[in-house]
Amino acid sequence: MGVLSAGVPLADGVVGRVECLVEGVVDRLGGEGVAVCCAGEVLSFGELEERANRLAWGLRGAGVGPGDVVGVLLPRSVDLVVALLGVLKSGAGYVPMDPGYPGERVDFMVEDSGVSLVLESVGDFPDGGRTDRVPAVGDGSDVAYVIYTSGSSGRPKGVVIEHSQVVAMLSWAGRVFSREELSQTLAATSVSFDLSVFEIFAPLSVGGTVHLVPDNALDLIAHPGRYADVTLVNTVPSVVRELLAAGAIPPRARTVNLAGEPLAPGLVAELYAHPVIDVVNNLYGPSEDTTYSTHAVTVPGDARTPIGGPVDGTTVHVLDGSLRPVVLGAVGELYLAGAGVSRGYHARPALTAERYLPDPFSVDGGRMYRTGDLVRWRPDGQLDYLGRADGQVKIRGHRVELGEVEEVLRRHPGVAEAVVVARQDVTGSLRLVAYIEVPGGEPPSDLAS
C-alpha cells in the first residue's frame, strides 16, 4: 500500500500554457461575462483580455519573454489579475510579492529571482498600444511563476513552477469541480501563496467569475453584500472558522475548500451544520507539487479528517527511512511524484537535489518530492496527515509523535484545536506542552492536569 496513483490519469497532451486556457474561454464566450470583480470594479472577459494583451505587448517591447521573470508587487484590485495574465501572455513568469511584506524581504526576492522589472502600480505597466492577442511563445516547460516559501535557514527559497504543472492542476480542477461551483469563486488568498493560483485561474479557465477580496477574507464580515453571489470559498481552516463565528459565509457558498492547515473534525462538523454548505473538501499539497496533491471530500463524524488520495496525474509514496513502502496503518514520510512536481528551487541546486529525488518506482526516470510530512494509509485508501517528520521527539527515552498527541487532544469534546510542542524546563529536560483552543474559554477540568 506504499504507492498509489490517481484513478483518473491526465488527458494526453496536458502540457499547454495557462494563458491559453483563459484565451479559450474568451473565444467561447466572445468576451462576455464577468471575469473579475473587486470592491465595485468589474472586468468582463473581453476587457481582461484586452488589458492583459496591452501589457503583454508592452513587456515584449521591453524585451521580456520566455526565460524571464517579472515581479508583481501590486495591491489587490482587478489590475492585479491583469498583471498576472499579462505577464504570462508575454511568455515570462511572474514572481508574486505582497505589498505588506517588509522591504528587506521584497529586496531579497527581487535580487534572488533576477526579475527583469517589477510592476508596482498601473503606471508601471508598459503599454504596447495594441489589444490584439499576443502570439503564444514557448511551451509547457517555461516558468509560469516563482513563489517564495519560508526556509529552515531563515532564507526564503523560490519554487519554480512550469506551465505544464499548473495546467495539470487546473485540468484536475476542471474535472472535479463543476462549472456551477467555480462560477463565482472567492479569491481571498495573497498571490504570494499558491492557493491563489487555484482561486484565480481555475474559475477563469472555465468561464467563471473571480471575486477578488481587496484586503483579506475578513472583508466578508465587513462587506457581506459584495460576496452574496459566491458559490465556492477556498481558504484555510483558521479563516473559515472566523467567517463561521461572524455568520459571514456567503449565502450561496455550497462548496468550501480548505487547505494549508490541519483540518479538525469539529470544524468539519460545524461547516456541515451550516444551512447552505453541501461539500467540504480537504486539500493538501506543498508549493513544490503545484498547489494541490491530494483531495478528500470530508464526511461529518470522521474521527480524523483525511487528506484523501492523489489528484489526477499524481502518485504518492509513503516510505520509511530506507525509501521502502510502509504497510497499511504504519507511519511513513510522504513523497510526491507525477505531473505536479515542480522544477525545483531557484538557484539552489544543492537544496533541490536534497528534496527532489529520483523516483525508484518510476519506469521513465521521473522524480519525486520529499515533503517532510508524516502520513499513514487508512483502510479506506485515504491518507491521514500526522504532522512533520521533524516533529518526533524523545521524552525520557520514549519516542513521541507530536501530531499524534495533538490528535488525541482534538478528539476531546471540549477542545476545538490543539498544538503540542516540546519545551525545556528549568532543569533542561524536555517536556510536552499543549496549547488548546476551547469554545468556552475555560479548559475542561479533566485536562487541567
Side-chain angles (χ1 to χ4, degrees):
M1 192 79 189
V3 180
L4 184 68
S5 296
V8 178
L10 287 169
D12 292 339
V14 181
V15 293
R17 296 180 60 90
V18 180
E19 70 271 16
C20 292
L21 298 180
V22 181
E23 290 169 356
V25 169
V26 174
D27 290 339
R28 293 197 304 273
L29 299 180
E32 299 300 322
V34 176
V36 188
C37 58
C38 180
E41 292 183 281
V42 176
L43 285 182
S44 69
F45 273 92
E47 291 168 332
L48 174 62
E49 169 82 353
E50 290 182 358
R51 290 179 59 176
N53 285 341
R54 291 180 73 96
L55 172 57
W57 281 115
L59 291 170
R60 288 274 187 92
V64 173
D68 296 319
V69 287
V70 173
V72 177
L73 181 63
L74 292 168
R76 295 175 64 83
S77 72
V78 296
D79 295 313
L80 175 60
V81 180
V82 170
L84 300 181
L85 187 58
V87 171
L88 294 175
K89 282 173 170 285
S90 76
Y94 67 86
V95 181
M97 304 172 184
D98 195 310
Y101 279 171
E104 294 82 0
R105 182 180 174 95
V106 172
D107 291 343
F108 171 83
M109 294 168 65
V110 169
E111 181 178 357
D112 185 73
S113 64
V115 293
S116 301
L117 54 90
V118 179
L119 304 177
E120 297 187 57
S121 71
V122 177
D124 293 329
F125 288 12
D127 188 348
R130 301 171 59 179
T131 60
D132 54 311
R133 186 169 297 170
V134 184
V137 293
D139 57 31
S141 66
D142 290 323
V143 177
Y145 59 87
V146 179
I147 202 159
Y148 276 78
T149 65
S150 298
S152 58
S153 65
R155 175 189 174 192
K157 53 188 185 293
V159 183
V160 182
I161 310 292
E162 299 172 349
H163 280 264
S164 63
Q165 293 139 21
V166 185
V167 171
M169 185 272 289
L170 295 176
S171 298
W172 162 80
R175 184 186 71 82
V176 172
F177 298 97
S178 69
R179 170 67 179 81
E180 180 182 2
E181 286 177 299
L182 292 171
S183 64
Q184 307 285 335
T185 298
L186 184 71
T189 306
S190 167
V191 291
S192 294
F193 294 92
D194 59 356
L195 268 66
S196 65
V197 178
F198 174 94
E199 294 172 352
I200 294 173
F201 293 108
L204 291 181
S205 68
V206 298
T209 299
V210 177
H211 289 260
L212 189 68
V213 175
D215 187 12
N216 57 53
L218 300 184
D219 193 62
L220 277 73
I221 300 173
H223 302 283
R226 291 177 178 173
Y227 309 100
D229 292 332
V230 166
T231 54
L232 187 149
V233 172
N234 190 79
T235 188
V236 296
S238 55
V239 167
V240 86
R241 189 184 294 278
E242 293 289 330
L243 297 181
L244 272 174
I249 298 292
R252 294 183 57 206
R254 298 178 57 189
T255 301
V256 174
N257 288 354
L258 297 173
E261 300 169 351
L263 177 55
L267 180 55
V268 173
E270 288 183 58
L271 288 166
Y272 277 117
H274 191 278
V276 173
I277 297 169
D278 291 335
V279 179
V280 179
N281 295 295
N282 193 25
L283 296 151
Y284 161 89
S287 297
E288 290 85 347
D289 196 49
T290 316
T291 310
Y292 296 137
S293 308
T294 69
H295 166 229
V297 179
T298 66
V299 293
D302 204 334
R304 181 193 294 273
T305 307
I307 60 172
V311 303
D312 297 356
T314 294
T315 300
V316 300
H317 307 300
V318 183
L319 309 177
D320 64 16
S322 300
L323 300 185
R324 296 173 302 193
V326 302
V327 298
L328 178 69
V331 178
E333 186 171 351
L334 178 60
Y335 292 75
L336 301 167
V341 177
S342 62
R343 182 184 296 180
Y345 299 114
H346 174 69
R348 305 283 292 275
L351 183 60
T352 298
E354 177 186 330
R355 306 299 296 187
Y356 294 77
L357 308 176
D359 183 357
F361 309 98
S362 172
V363 297
D364 57 2
R367 298 182 306 154
M368 62 181 184
Y369 173 69
R370 181 180 186 178
T371 68
D373 290 325
L374 297 176
V375 297
R376 66 182 170 204
W377 290 111
R378 294 161 42 128
D380 62 4
Q382 298 193 84
L383 290 167
D384 278 335
Y385 174 82
L386 301 175
R388 294 290 299 169
D390 53 12
Q392 187 183 84
V393 296
K394 224 173 189 181
I395 305 289
R396 301 180 190 90
H398 297 279
R399 289 183 178 180
V400 179
E401 295 291 345
L402 300 183
E404 292 191 2
V405 179
E406 292 170 346
E407 181 56 32
V408 171
L409 290 170
R410 292 188 191 110
R411 291 176 187 170
H412 192 287
V415 175
E417 187 56 88
V419 175
V420 178
V421 296
R423 298 285 192 200
Q424 284 187 327
D425 61 19
V426 292
T427 69
S429 300
L430 282 177
R431 59 183 295 190
L432 295 183
V433 179
Y435 299 87
I436 62 173
E437 178 185 348
V438 292
E442 291 290 331
S445 58
D446 56 349
L447 289 179
S449 59

